[in-house]
Amino acid sequence: GRSINYGLGFSTGVDVKGITYFYHSGNGTGFSSHFILYPSEGIVAVHLTNCIDRSLGNPAIDLVNIFRGHFLPVPKIPASDYLLGITLAHGIDSALVELKLIQKDTSSIIKADEEELNLFGNDLLNLKKNTEAIQLFKLLTNDFPNYFKGFVGLGDAYLKDGNKGLALRNYRQALKLNPNQKYVKDMINKLEGG
């Protein structure tokens, strides 16, 4: 068969040292779990917690690195939480101005990669701030044009805002970037009346 880098609920990967590992993480209402296994080194790390906090990063990998004697960097503040606070207090325009400043500052203590911005956009959608989410996802797809989740988010935002045509356009772009994405295929089929 072909390698899909996933099977039986476990991801597989190769770390920066070229060592193969198996990994699983998950969360639900009120819990989060992380598991990592390095079979060639006989190292297993598990982190379970009764809270969900996106700023935790990857505690199981951190535990492996501590065991190996590696230095752990100070975690950065998640941009999703930081920018949401600015948006709620001062509006999306203020948050986007702050985001541009963060992105220009290479020494920033705030993590503002595409995953964080996607989380921020989804937080806006969950709060029914569709217009603000559209602004954010437009910026995200402009800054990261090969990041399919940005187009999925923009499609979701347009759909929630009642613009099925622009939703469909962005879902189609997401599908071009990730042709195997079931959610996107389902949304396109639904919007096309299939």
Tab-separated table of all heavy atoms in Angstrom, residues 114-144:
chain	number	residue	atom	x	y	z
A	114	GLU	N	0.749	30.100	11.271
A	114	GLU	CA	-0.538	29.894	10.623
A	114	GLU	C	-1.504	29.061	11.461
A	114	GLU	O	-2.715	29.292	11.437
A	114	GLU	CB	-0.359	29.293	9.219
A	114	GLU	CG	0.310	27.943	9.158
A	114	GLU	CD	1.829	28.011	9.022
A	114	GLU	OE1	2.457	28.968	9.514
A	114	GLU	OE2	2.395	27.075	8.437
A	115	GLU	N	-0.999	28.103	12.237
A	115	GLU	CA	-1.885	27.299	13.096
A	115	GLU	C	-2.546	28.173	14.169
A	115	GLU	O	-3.730	28.029	14.460
A	115	GLU	CB	-1.116	26.146	13.739
A	115	GLU	CG	-0.753	25.035	12.782
A	115	GLU	CD	-1.941	24.247	12.257
A	115	GLU	OE1	-2.939	24.068	12.979
A	115	GLU	OE2	-1.870	23.806	11.089
A	116	GLU	N	-1.752	29.062	14.773
A	116	GLU	CA	-2.306	29.966	15.787
A	116	GLU	C	-3.351	30.899	15.194
A	116	GLU	O	-4.385	31.166	15.807
A	116	GLU	CB	-1.195	30.792	16.444
A	116	GLU	CG	-0.485	30.087	17.559
A	116	GLU	CD	-1.390	29.702	18.716
A	116	GLU	OE1	-2.242	30.524	19.124
A	116	GLU	OE2	-1.256	28.579	19.202
A	117	LEU	N	-3.075	31.403	13.994
A	117	LEU	CA	-4.037	32.303	13.359
A	117	LEU	C	-5.304	31.552	12.978
A	117	LEU	O	-6.413	32.088	13.067
A	117	LEU	CB	-3.404	32.974	12.144
A	117	LEU	CG	-2.187	33.847	12.463
A	117	LEU	CD1	-1.637	34.484	11.217
A	117	LEU	CD2	-2.522	34.895	13.518
A	118	ASN	N	-5.162	30.293	12.572
A	118	ASN	CA	-6.334	29.472	12.288
A	118	ASN	C	-7.174	29.264	13.554
A	118	ASN	O	-8.406	29.357	13.517
A	118	ASN	CB	-5.900	28.130	11.691
A	118	ASN	CG	-7.065	27.316	11.201
A	118	ASN	OD1	-7.824	27.763	10.348
A	118	ASN	ND2	-7.224	26.133	11.738
A	119	LEU	N	-6.515	29.012	14.673
A	119	LEU	CA	-7.237	28.875	15.948
A	119	LEU	C	-7.967	30.168	16.298
A	119	LEU	O	-9.124	30.143	16.738
A	119	LEU	CB	-6.263	28.502	17.076
A	119	LEU	CG	-5.690	27.093	17.039
A	119	LEU	CD1	-4.565	26.950	18.063
A	119	LEU	CD2	-6.766	26.055	17.282
A	120	PHE	N	-7.319	31.290	16.090
A	120	PHE	CA	-7.933	32.594	16.342
A	120	PHE	C	-9.183	32.774	15.479
A	120	PHE	O	-10.249	33.161	15.955
A	120	PHE	CB	-6.903	33.708	16.096
A	120	PHE	CG	-7.426	35.109	16.197
A	120	PHE	CD1	-8.330	35.482	17.185
A	120	PHE	CD2	-6.998	36.077	15.306
A	120	PHE	CE1	-8.797	36.793	17.279
A	120	PHE	CE2	-7.446	37.387	15.386
A	120	PHE	CZ	-8.362	37.746	16.371
A	121	GLY	N	-9.068	32.450	14.194
A	121	GLY	CA	-10.217	32.552	13.305
A	121	GLY	C	-11.365	31.659	13.737
A	121	GLY	O	-12.534	32.070	13.719
A	122	ASN	N	-11.050	30.438	14.157
A	122	ASN	CA	-12.097	29.525	14.619
A	122	ASN	C	-12.719	30.006	15.929
A	122	ASN	O	-13.919	29.825	16.152
A	122	ASN	CB	-11.557	28.102	14.735
A	122	ASN	CG	-11.386	27.472	13.372
A	122	ASN	OD1	-12.249	27.571	12.517
A	122	ASN	ND2	-10.256	26.833	13.155
A	123	ASP	N	-11.907	30.623	16.785
A	123	ASP	CA	-12.466	31.225	18.006
A	123	ASP	C	-13.469	32.321	17.646
A	123	ASP	O	-14.538	32.424	18.258
A	123	ASP	CB	-11.358	31.817	18.882
A	123	ASP	CG	-10.504	30.766	19.578
A	123	ASP	OD1	-10.918	29.587	19.642
A	123	ASP	OD2	-9.411	31.128	20.053
A	124	LEU	N	-13.127	33.139	16.661
A	124	LEU	CA	-14.046	34.197	16.223
A	124	LEU	C	-15.346	33.591	15.696
A	124	LEU	O	-16.442	34.080	16.009
A	124	LEU	CB	-13.384	35.068	15.151
A	124	LEU	CG	-12.214	35.931	15.617
A	124	LEU	CD1	-11.492	36.550	14.420
A	124	LEU	CD2	-12.675	37.015	16.584
A	125	LEU	N	-15.239	32.525	14.913
A	125	LEU	CA	-16.441	31.860	14.403
A	125	LEU	C	-17.292	31.294	15.535
A	125	LEU	O	-18.517	31.405	15.514
A	125	LEU	CB	-16.075	30.749	13.415
A	125	LEU	CG	-15.572	31.206	12.052
A	125	LEU	CD1	-15.141	30.005	11.212
A	125	LEU	CD2	-16.629	32.015	11.321
A	126	ASN	N	-16.636	30.699	16.524
A	126	ASN	CA	-17.377	30.141	17.663
A	126	ASN	C	-18.109	31.225	18.447
A	126	ASN	O	-19.138	30.955	19.070
A	126	ASN	CB	-16.437	29.364	18.590
A	126	ASN	CG	-15.972	28.072	17.964
A	126	ASN	OD1	-16.648	27.497	17.111
A	126	ASN	ND2	-14.807	27.604	18.363
A	127	LEU	N	-17.583	32.449	18.421
A	127	LEU	CA	-18.225	33.575	19.098
A	127	LEU	C	-19.214	34.303	18.174
A	127	LEU	O	-19.732	35.360	18.534
A	127	LEU	CB	-17.169	34.561	19.602
A	127	LEU	CG	-16.282	34.057	20.730
A	127	LEU	CD1	-15.144	35.031	20.990
A	127	LEU	CD2	-17.099	33.825	21.985
A	128	LYS	N	-19.443	33.719	16.986
A	128	LYS	CA	-20.359	34.290	15.993
A	128	LYS	C	-19.907	35.666	15.504
A	128	LYS	O	-20.711	36.518	15.167
A	128	LYS	CB	-21.789	34.321	16.514
A	128	LYS	CG	-22.328	32.934	16.853
A	128	LYS	CD	-23.779	32.951	17.212
A	128	LYS	CE	-24.373	31.645	17.630
A	128	LYS	NZ	-23.727	30.424	17.413
A	129	LYS	N	-18.611	35.885	15.480
A	129	LYS	CA	-18.030	37.115	14.943
A	129	LYS	C	-17.566	36.818	13.517
A	129	LYS	O	-16.369	36.779	13.216
A	129	LYS	CB	-16.892	37.596	15.843
A	129	LYS	CG	-17.393	38.012	17.225
A	129	LYS	CD	-16.330	38.730	17.998
A	129	LYS	CE	-16.881	39.351	19.255
A	129	LYS	NZ	-17.809	40.444	19.019
A	130	ASN	N	-18.563	36.586	12.643
A	130	ASN	CA	-18.288	36.126	11.287
A	130	ASN	C	-17.540	37.160	10.455
A	130	ASN	O	-16.617	36.812	9.714
A	130	ASN	CB	-19.602	35.739	10.590
A	130	ASN	CG	-20.346	34.663	11.351
A	130	ASN	OD1	-19.745	33.870	12.063
A	130	ASN	ND2	-21.654	34.644	11.213
A	131	THR	N	-17.934	38.429	10.550
A	131	THR	CA	-17.263	39.475	9.774
A	131	THR	C	-15.792	39.577	10.173
A	131	THR	O	-14.906	39.690	9.319
A	131	THR	CB	-17.971	40.828	9.986
A	131	THR	OG1	-19.338	40.679	9.616
A	131	THR	CG2	-17.338	41.922	9.157
A	132	GLU	N	-15.526	39.498	11.472
A	132	GLU	CA	-14.153	39.556	11.965
A	132	GLU	C	-13.364	38.327	11.507
A	132	GLU	O	-12.194	38.424	11.125
A	132	GLU	CB	-14.131	39.664	13.488
A	132	GLU	CG	-14.648	40.977	14.036
A	132	GLU	CD	-16.172	40.993	14.278
A	132	GLU	OE1	-16.894	40.158	13.694
A	132	GLU	OE2	-16.619	41.867	15.043
A	133	ALA	N	-14.022	37.166	11.529
A	133	ALA	CA	-13.365	35.934	11.085
A	133	ALA	C	-13.007	36.025	9.598
A	133	ALA	O	-11.927	35.593	9.186
A	133	ALA	CB	-14.256	34.729	11.359
A	134	ILE	N	-13.907	36.600	8.797
A	134	ILE	CA	-13.628	36.766	7.371
A	134	ILE	C	-12.381	37.628	7.187
A	134	ILE	O	-11.486	37.290	6.402
A	134	ILE	CB	-14.847	37.361	6.630
A	134	ILE	CG1	-15.960	36.314	6.547
A	134	ILE	CG2	-14.461	37.860	5.242
A	134	ILE	CD1	-17.313	36.850	6.091
A	135	GLN	N	-12.290	38.735	7.920
A	135	GLN	CA	-11.100	39.599	7.817
A	135	GLN	C	-9.830	38.824	8.155
A	135	GLN	O	-8.820	38.927	7.461
A	135	GLN	CB	-11.236	40.798	8.759
A	135	GLN	CG	-12.184	41.863	8.283
A	135	GLN	CD	-12.229	43.016	9.270
A	135	GLN	OE1	-13.128	43.101	10.094
A	135	GLN	NE2	-11.241	43.893	9.196
A	136	LEU	N	-9.893	38.054	9.248
A	136	LEU	CA	-8.709	37.312	9.682
A	136	LEU	C	-8.338	36.240	8.667
A	136	LEU	O	-7.172	36.109	8.285
A	136	LEU	CB	-8.970	36.697	11.071
A	136	LEU	CG	-7.826	35.919	11.714
A	136	LEU	CD1	-7.671	34.508	11.330
A	136	LEU	CD2	-6.555	36.699	11.782
A	137	PHE	N	-9.309	35.459	8.212
A	137	PHE	CA	-9.003	34.387	7.265
A	137	PHE	C	-8.538	34.931	5.912
A	137	PHE	O	-7.727	34.298	5.240
A	137	PHE	CB	-10.195	33.437	7.097
A	137	PHE	CG	-10.352	32.471	8.240
A	137	PHE	CD1	-11.497	32.467	9.011
A	137	PHE	CD2	-9.349	31.561	8.550
A	137	PHE	CE1	-11.655	31.572	10.060
A	137	PHE	CE2	-9.482	30.662	9.599
A	137	PHE	CZ	-10.643	30.668	10.356
A	138	LYS	N	-9.026	36.098	5.498
A	138	LYS	CA	-8.507	36.720	4.269
A	138	LYS	C	-7.019	37.025	4.440
A	138	LYS	O	-6.211	36.762	3.545
A	138	LYS	CB	-9.266	38.010	3.960
A	138	LYS	CG	-10.578	37.816	3.266
A	138	LYS	CD	-11.180	39.193	2.978
A	138	LYS	CE	-12.413	39.127	2.144
A	138	LYS	NZ	-12.954	40.474	1.858
A	139	LEU	N	-6.658	37.581	5.577
A	139	LEU	CA	-5.255	37.880	5.854
A	139	LEU	C	-4.437	36.592	5.897
A	139	LEU	O	-3.346	36.511	5.327
A	139	LEU	CB	-5.140	38.638	7.180
A	139	LEU	CG	-3.730	39.062	7.544
A	139	LEU	CD1	-3.712	40.549	7.871
A	139	LEU	CD2	-3.250	38.270	8.733
A	140	LEU	N	-4.984	35.567	6.545
A	140	LEU	CA	-4.287	34.288	6.670
A	140	LEU	C	-4.042	33.660	5.300
A	140	LEU	O	-2.937	33.197	5.009
A	140	LEU	CB	-5.096	33.333	7.563
A	140	LEU	CG	-4.551	31.936	7.785
A	140	LEU	CD1	-3.173	31.967	8.413
A	140	LEU	CD2	-5.509	31.139	8.675
A	141	THR	N	-5.065	33.660	4.429
A	141	THR	CA	-4.883	33.055	3.111
A	141	THR	C	-3.963	33.890	2.226
A	141	THR	O	-3.293	33.345	1.353
A	141	THR	CB	-6.240	32.832	2.403
A	141	THR	OG1	-6.942	34.075	2.314
A	141	THR	CG2	-7.080	31.812	3.155
A	142	ASN	N	-3.917	35.183	2.466
A	142	ASN	CA	-2.984	36.040	1.726
A	142	ASN	C	-1.544	35.797	2.177
A	142	ASN	O	-0.635	35.669	1.366
A	142	ASN	CB	-3.360	37.510	1.912
A	142	ASN	CG	-2.495	38.423	1.067
A	142	ASN	OD1	-2.490	38.317	-0.147
A	142	ASN	ND2	-1.747	39.303	1.717
A	143	ASP	N	-1.338	35.720	3.505
A	143	ASP	CA	0.010	35.517	4.046
A	143	ASP	C	0.520	34.085	3.861
A	143	ASP	O	1.725	33.862	3.770
A	143	ASP	CB	0.039	35.863	5.538
A	143	ASP	CG	-0.048	37.358	5.804
A	143	ASP	OD1	-0.055	38.146	4.825
A	143	ASP	OD2	-0.132	37.744	6.989
A	144	PHE	N	-0.402	33.120	3.855
A	144	PHE	CA	-0.038	31.696	3.738
A	144	PHE	C	-0.895	31.056	2.637
A	144	PHE	O	-1.811	30.286	2.925
A	144	PHE	CB	-0.232	30.973	5.074
A	144	PHE	CG	0.570	31.538	6.209
A	144	PHE	CD1	0.012	32.470	7.077
A	144	PHE	CD2	1.893	31.161	6.398
A	144	PHE	CE1	0.748	33.004	8.129
A	144	PHE	CE2	2.639	31.691	7.440
A	144	PHE	CZ	2.068	32.614	8.303
